Amino acid sequence: MSSGAKRKTRIMVDKEKCTGCKACMLACAVKHTGKYSLSMARIWVNEIDELEVVPNVCRHCISPACLKACNAGAIRKEGEVVILDMKKCTGCRACIDACPFGAIKYSNRLKKALKCDLCDGDPACIKACITNALY
């Protein structure tokens, strides 16, 4: 991220522009794991039906239910951003159950929760979205 660019504190979605290509998911997975694995993404493209797709990502709530539900202390707020500390996550899934938006997923591979961390203010998913459905 350039020194003059503003750090993102939220990812906005224009679902009308989303084609369901999942480039956002791949970019996210590569950013976090170095691998093209959709299952490791922290953003998801939900297929409502054959013609409707909706990206789903953490809203970084003002008063996050996931933070309150996490008994391991793995979720914290840093400014406006809700962060999941993977080292502290026990994989209990309480945060997943608590999130009203379904924006936290469980990784069977890692046995831990996965959620958007906004890529330190420069989300890879936004850069990968060629239709500008994410901004």
Side-chain angles (χ1 to χ4, degrees):
M1 176 169 220
S2 68
S3 60
K6 185 176 179 184
R7 300 170 68 84
K8 294 291 283 182
T9 56
R10 287 203 170 39
I11 296 172
M12 305 302 288
V13 176
D14 183 343
K15 67 179 187 177
E16 299 301 319
K17 292 182 177 178
C18 181
T19 63
C21 72
K22 299 182 182 176
C24 56
M25 293 175 66
L26 286 174
C28 177
V30 169
K31 172 78 177 188
H32 291 283
T33 67
K35 301 194 184 304
Y36 288 94
S37 173
L38 293 175
S39 67
M40 298 305 287
R42 276 83 170 150
I43 183 171
W44 299 271
V45 177
N46 296 325
E47 297 176 9
I48 307 302
D49 59 36
E50 293 176 2
L51 298 175
E52 186 177 3
V53 291
V54 179
N56 191 11
V57 67
C58 178
R59 273 75 164 171
H60 298 276
C61 301
I62 292 170
S63 181
C66 60
L67 188 153
K68 294 173 187 162
C70 182
N71 289 327
I75 298 177
R76 68 182 185 285
K77 283 201 83 167
E78 289 183 7
E80 297 179 45
V81 181
V82 180
I83 300 292
L84 169 65
D85 185 335
M86 296 293 281
K87 292 178 184 167
K88 291 183 179 177
C89 179
T90 62
C92 73
R93 305 181 199 207
C95 59
I96 295 168
D97 293 339
C99 178
F101 304 106
I104 304 175
K105 299 287 184 188
Y106 183 77
S107 168
N108 286 322
R109 180 185 233 175
L110 300 175
K111 309 293 186 215
K112 295 178 184 264
L114 295 175
K115 71 168 286 310
C116 172
D117 62 2
L118 293 170
C119 298
D120 201 25
D122 190 21
C125 58
I126 291 177
K127 291 190 269 187
C129 183
I130 61 171
T131 62
N132 297 316
L134 303 176
Y135 57 97

